Amino acid sequence: KGENCKYVALFNTDDEERNISFSVTDIAVGGAEYIIWDMWAHKEFTVTKNEFSAKVNPHGARLFKITIK
């Protein structure tokens, strides 16, 4: 199950909400389109460009699962 996917955790240690970005191709190998699943909000995002960003609450965290579509 976890062989064709990667997980990314984003942490915000600041006192304000932050928009944190990362390059999907730096994490997942291959593919031109990716599915990013928000593990806690239970929402799916389709990414066709390499960059993905998410808002993270102050002193908060987000966890995402990345798979090649």
Side-chain angles (χ1 to χ4, degrees):
K1 285 185 174 181
E3 296 174 8
N4 296 321
C5 66
K6 301 287 183 181
Y7 293 87
V8 173
L10 303 178
F11 298 94
N12 179 7
T13 58
D14 204 348
D15 292 329
E16 298 179 13
E17 181 181 79
R18 293 287 178 213
N19 197 31
I20 301 174
S21 302
F22 63 90
S23 174
V24 177
T25 55
D26 286 347
I27 298 160
V29 178
E33 193 169 344
Y34 302 91
I35 296 172
I36 298 182
W37 178 254
D38 188 320
M39 300 294 290
W40 295 327
H42 300 271
K43 292 183 181 177
E44 183 178 288
F45 306 92
T46 299
V47 176
T48 54
K49 297 183 180 182
N50 294 334
E51 195 78 13
F52 180 77
S53 63
K55 289 183 181 178
V56 183
N57 290 329
H59 303 284
R62 305 268 311 262
L63 180 62
F64 298 97
K65 177 181 177 181
I66 303 171
T67 55
I68 298 171
K69 187 169 183 179

